Amino acid sequence: MRLATILHLAIIAVLITAATSQAPPIRYINHTVVDNAGWFFNSTTNTTAANYSSWAASQTFNLGDYLIFRTSSNQTVIQTYNLTTFKNCSIDHSSDNDTVVYNGGNTVFDQALTIPVPLTIQGPNYFFSDANDGIQCQYGLAFEINVNRGLGLPPSLNQPPPPPYREPPGPDSASPPITIPAGGKGLGNDGFKNGLSVHVIACAVLFALLAVNGGIGVVFS
């Protein structure tokens, strides 16, 4: 009887442990990349500040989480979903749909930067620095992660993309044609009322002028 009770409690403990380990996340997490080591590369020794792949393997990432890169302008942060781009350590053949470049092209060296990167695509995500013509990536400034669904994207990240930018018309652009509605009324014009036409009014004005100048005889009774 005692043995059965012990086995029963052991089974309950195992089930509780399994349920706890598989429980979904209850909040979104900001992951500071390798904590205090940051995202750095020593160009003199061609070494990284930490083992980024080992750090990534020890973490769990979900949609809506952020990676926080504490770095400087001597490194870049590239996020891509393209494995070929990641393996090549280059964005030369990437597209806007699968690769995002952070702080690329910065001409001020040794400027401290903190770069937050949202995780918005489930599945494999790759990160690397393409600075020094890809040397930093080739020597270990790179890692890959797998992003789980978790709680799904929060409303702040689950927005449709903005419409494509369109160049505003210049001062020399032709104005669009004005459409006058049916019924004879244009912009600010109530039309001619009571059926009078332009020709009738013009004839009446001409007749009056001729009468005043003596061009025709008019007798008023």
Side-chain angles (χ1 to χ4, degrees), residues 39-155:
W39 181 250
F40 292 100
F41 186 82
N42 188 323
S43 298
T44 302
T45 59
N46 282 342
T47 56
T48 59
N51 188 323
Y52 298 96
S53 294
S54 295
W55 170 83
S58 68
Q59 307 291 311
T60 300
F61 304 96
N62 296 296
L63 289 176
D65 288 355
Y66 274 81
L67 297 187
I68 309 298
F69 289 82
R70 292 178 177 172
T71 183
S72 74
S73 53
N74 297 356
Q75 295 78 215
T76 63
V77 176
I78 310 296
Q79 180 185 27
T80 184
Y81 314 109
N82 188 322
L83 180 59
T84 301
T85 296
F86 177 66
K87 288 184 175 181
N88 291 339
C89 291
S90 171
I91 62 173
D92 288 345
H93 301 292
S94 62
S95 69
D96 293 340
N97 295 327
D98 60 31
T99 302
V100 181
V101 180
Y102 297 88
N103 79 304
N106 198 321
T107 58
V108 180
F109 293 100
D110 292 321
Q111 180 181 3
L113 299 172
T114 299
I115 302 174
V117 178
L119 302 180
T120 60
I121 300 294
Q122 187 175 350
N125 283 232
Y126 308 98
F127 298 87
F128 66 95
S129 171
D130 69 342
N132 298 4
D133 295 325
I135 294 296
Q136 294 186 3
C137 170
Q138 295 169 16
Y139 279 88
L141 200 58
F143 64 91
E144 61 181 286
I145 65 175
N146 186 70
V147 178
N148 304 308
R149 175 166 178 77
L151 297 174
L153 286 176

